[in-house]
Amino acid sequence: MTWRMPVEGAPHERTWMTFPRVGETLGRTPAETEGGYAAWAAVANAVAGFEPLSMLVDPSETARARSLLDGAIDLVETPVDEFWMRDSGPTFVLDAERPGALGAVDWIFNGWGAPAWAEWQKSARHGAFVADAVGAELVSSLLVNEGGGIHVDGEGTVLLTETVQLDPRRNPFADRGRVEAEMLRTLGTHHLVWLPRGLTRDYDDFGTNGHVDIVAAIPSPGRLLLHAQPDPAHPDHLVVQQLREVLAGQTDAAGRAFEIVELPAPATLTDEHGPVDWSYVNHYVLNGAVIACGFGDPVADARAASILAEEYPGREVVTVDAREIFARGGGIHCITQQQPALPELPAREAGTGAGA
């Protein structure tokens, strides 16, 4: 097999998401739970305006989902605990040697390192469940990994973080060589760019320990969007300076030095839990559009939308308030997962086939 993960902006067949359910992540008060439901629904309804969307729904939440979601969204019932589809769901890949083949990488999901608070055993089955639902070939992996912990350019480059794939709570016996071999086998990437760490908030109890999709993204081969924190009062000011220095010395799989474009953070620095990790890098690219994170900061939100419009020409940028999602440990990219479209097979040459 020659599996390859396409760049996110390649044509999609559909998007997959998971609808929230009652639990630690959703919130403890009525206001918190309603805020979570509304945020997930807002993203889903925005996505559904541009491409088909399938939503995994716990049977206990089906009625609520139907009341909040666009009627065009396909609801697929299955047991749910965590509802971050990027992480618990499959990573879709294509086979370069078989244009009609769709694969689904089923990473081991253990709730970002099996913290005591996480409920993940049901959603750990979502990779295989979704693969079966779409008729994809299951690409089983023994690596504990999440979709938010990788980002590819579709040409052999993958971004990842030392504190995620090499996290002893995830992969206690892994080293770079083993991870690199698994990335090649499952994603077709042969050039790995390792970041030393992620953003500060991501190392809290409810964090992922450094997911790359809140730090950096590749909008097109050779170009890199990097989170920027211009305020020296925020601890990420130094973090992203260090990350920029690391990335400035890196190349992609084709040997090109990255052209780095900064996405400055909004003005808000803290919430009741400490420094925020609000990041416009955590956007989602889909057919004809970009769903961008909004943070109630008109100046910063508009600036980010303008940068994203330049990086993804020909796509409409739709900003959705992501503060309720970030309050739960992630962003818009974290709750979505693209299923790439299969390449169109060439038309049969005239004069061939039965009856010719």
Side-chain angles (χ1 to χ4, degrees):
M1 303 293 181
T2 52
W3 296 117
R4 177 185 63 86
M5 182 181 178
V7 68
E8 191 168 301
H12 295 182
E13 177 68 25
R14 67 178 54 248
T15 292
W16 286 84
M17 292 180 63
T18 308
F19 194 75
R21 59 149 292 171
V22 172
E24 184 73 28
T25 300
L26 186 58
R28 298 179 178 178
T29 69
E32 288 176 346
T33 58
E34 290 303 317
Y37 287 127
W40 260 252
V43 172
N45 291 335
V47 169
F50 295 92
E51 70 184 39
L53 189 148
S54 292
M55 179 78 75
L56 300 188
V57 183
D58 189 89
S60 66
E61 297 286 0
T62 300
R64 188 189 305 272
R66 292 193 188 283
S67 70
L68 294 176
L69 298 176
D70 186 300
I73 295 173
D74 179 36
L75 302 186
V76 183
E77 288 191 339
T78 192
V80 170
D81 36 35
E82 284 298 343
F83 35 88
W84 305 84
M85 175 56 79
R86 178 71 53 176
D87 294 346
S88 59
T91 297
F92 287 104
V93 290
L94 304 177
D95 188 342
E97 294 182 350
R98 298 178 299 151
L102 176 69
V105 182
D106 183 20
W107 312 107
I108 293 176
F109 177 66
N110 73 347
W112 311 278
W117 58 265
E119 299 177 279
W120 48 268
Q121 289 83 358
K122 294 176 181 177
S123 293
R125 300 187 179 96
H126 287 172
F129 177 83
V130 172
D132 182 67
V134 300
E137 296 183 37
L138 192 68
V139 184
S140 295
S141 177
L142 293 178
L143 188 72
V144 179
N145 187 43
E146 304 92 32
I150 53 175
H151 196 90
V152 304
D153 67 354
E155 296 187 355
T157 308
V158 60
L159 306 177
L160 61 178
T161 315
E162 292 177 3
T163 56
V164 174
Q165 287 79 19
L166 302 182
D167 180 0
R169 302 173 305 162
R170 288 174 166 100
N171 300 298
F173 305 110
D175 55 26
R176 284 196 183 199
R178 287 184 173 91
V179 173
E180 290 172 1
E182 189 66 350
M183 292 292 124
L184 177 61
R185 184 184 75 86
T186 56
L187 305 181
T189 56
H190 55 87
H191 184 79
L192 282 74
V193 177
W194 288 93
L195 300 182
R197 60 160 299 151
L199 300 183
T200 302
R201 182 71 167 265
D202 210 10
Y203 293 88
D204 286 357
D205 288 343
F206 287 85
T208 70
N209 222 45
H211 268 191
V212 72
D213 71 350
I214 204 169
V215 178
I218 304 174
S220 57
R223 295 182 69 80
L224 192 145
L225 289 169
L226 180 65
H227 177 68
Q229 176 50 259
D231 196 321
H234 195 294
D236 285 337
H237 178 72
L238 290 178
V239 170
V240 293
Q241 283 186 343
Q242 294 166 355
L243 294 176
R244 185 184 178 97
E245 290 175 4
V246 170
L247 290 166
Q250 298 286 333
T251 62
D252 65 8
R256 295 169 292 214
F258 286 111
E259 295 182 51
I260 299 175
V261 177
E262 293 187 345
L263 270 173
T268 299
L269 300 183
T270 62
D271 62 12
E272 63 271 27
H273 302 291
V276 297
D277 56 357
W278 294 357
S279 171
Y280 296 107
V281 169
N282 201 267
H283 56 280
Y284 180 57
V285 187
L286 67 165
N287 296 339
V290 178
I291 309 300
C293 295
F295 299 103
D297 183 332
V299 173
D301 288 357
R303 178 178 58 205
S306 177
I307 293 171
L308 291 172
E310 291 180 6
E311 293 302 313
Y312 300 100
R315 299 179 195 260
E316 180 181 349
V317 178
V318 178
T319 299
V320 176
D321 195 320
R323 286 174 289 183
E324 289 286 351
I325 306 174
F326 272 79
R328 289 158 178 79
I332 289 174
H333 190 259
C334 306
I335 67 174
T336 51
Q337 179 63 270
Q338 69 274 7
Q339 179 185 335
L342 294 173
E344 293 186 9
L345 299 177
R348 187 183 306 176
E349 294 183 10
T352 63

